[in-house]
Amino acid sequence: MPSSGKTHLPIEVAPSLSADVILPLRPSRQPLSRQTVIVIGSSTGGTEALRHVLSALPLHMPPILIAQHMPEMFTRSFATRLDSLSKLAVHEAENGEKLQDGTVYIAPGHSHLMIRPAQGVGFVTELSRGDAVNRHRPSVDVLFRSAANVAGRNAIGVLLTGMGRDGANGLLEMRQAGAYNIAQDEASCVVFGMPKEAIALGAAHEILPLQSIANRLVALASQRQASV
């Protein structure tokens, strides 16, 4: 067969970086604030899964931070849509916001979302336009690692439907720091990738169908707040 004369160059694939490129793993023996926080990660199928969970939550909830894999031109309108469907106040996160009960912070599509302590006010948001982690920015692993580092046993982690493994290692780090974690079950996932990887690592305390997650979060938040 005659040669086409074309030279096929190898396709370069960017390396998949870990959360180490954004922040080191330094879990605190004691939470750096008494505040309870909920962190949620999702990807493929996550927009509808988040709508289902958030619309079922009451107003009186701890602050909720979300890393959903989504291009930056859509995250603000996504937050606005969720805000219209939820009793909670939902908005695209900005840098340095004090975490407030009854409020949901959506990671903007251009930045990693993290939690950091601030003297006298508890926890605040932190954004980073650093390298993509697991080829994603925002990355669930980055959000979860920050929760492990500063919130420890005062954090609740949730990993919803999504392709790949982003969030699996971070959920394990949270568990090792004392947090309580939920993974969505296979039957209710659009793609059982991220939760499956986390479950395989032993990162989840519970594996729940989507329709049960909101009620469980209410119960867990109530337990956490009562013990503070």
Side-chain angles (χ1 to χ4, degrees):
M1 196 171 171
S3 169
S4 65
K6 295 181 180 179
T7 301
H8 296 282
L9 298 175
I11 298 172
E12 292 188 8
V13 178
S16 181
L17 304 175
S18 77
D20 293 340
V21 300
I22 304 298
L23 74 168
L25 176 61
R26 291 176 180 165
S28 175
R29 292 188 178 182
Q30 294 294 329
L32 301 183
S33 169
R34 294 164 64 88
Q35 191 172 32
T36 298
V37 294
I38 297 172
V39 290
I40 302 176
S42 52
S43 186
T44 311
T47 55
E48 283 305 297
L50 288 167
R51 179 196 61 76
H52 188 99
V53 172
L54 295 183
S55 63
L57 292 174
L59 175 61
H60 301 293
M61 291 294 291
I64 299 172
L65 296 92
I66 295 173
Q68 159 72 37
H69 297 160
M70 181 179 284
E72 63 180 283
M73 68 282 293
F74 298 124
T75 46
R76 186 176 297 273
S77 59
F78 177 56
T80 300
R81 176 172 176 262
L82 290 178
D83 183 65
S84 71
L85 299 170
S86 173
K87 298 179 181 70
L88 302 162
V90 185
H91 68 272
E92 188 181 55
E94 298 180 5
N95 193 59
E97 292 185 84
K98 178 183 176 181
L99 296 191
Q100 304 273 11
D101 288 353
T103 306
V104 180
Y105 305 83
I106 304 288
H110 53 63
S111 295
H112 299 296
L113 175 61
M114 294 172 282
I115 306 166
R116 65 175 173 84
Q119 188 69 32
V121 300
F123 294 130
V124 299
T125 58
E126 182 174 1
L127 299 181
S128 168
R129 295 198 184 217
D131 291 337
V133 170
N134 300 315
R135 301 193 175 93
H136 294 287
R137 188 180 61 220
S139 162
V140 183
D141 266 346
V142 171
L143 175 60
F144 285 2
R145 175 171 288 188
S146 74
N149 281 355
V150 303
R153 66 173 182 267
N154 288 349
I156 300 167
V158 183
L159 193 56
L160 300 175
T161 176
M163 188 178 298
R165 59 174 297 109
D166 188 32
N169 287 333
L171 201 71
L172 179 61
E173 291 166 0
M174 287 183 63
R175 179 164 189 167
Q176 292 169 341
Y180 194 91
N181 298 330
I182 297 168
Q184 186 178 347
D185 74 352
E186 182 174 8
S188 65
C189 279
V190 172
V191 179
F192 189 54
M194 289 156 49
K196 180 181 179 180
E197 294 291 340
I199 292 164
L201 292 176
H205 293 86
E206 292 186 72
I207 304 163
L208 296 177
L210 181 63
Q211 61 269 27
S212 300
I213 291 176
N215 284 342
R216 189 65 179 125
L217 286 177
V218 172
L220 288 169
S222 179
Q223 292 169 12
R224 287 289 194 279
Q225 290 169 328
S227 66
V228 172

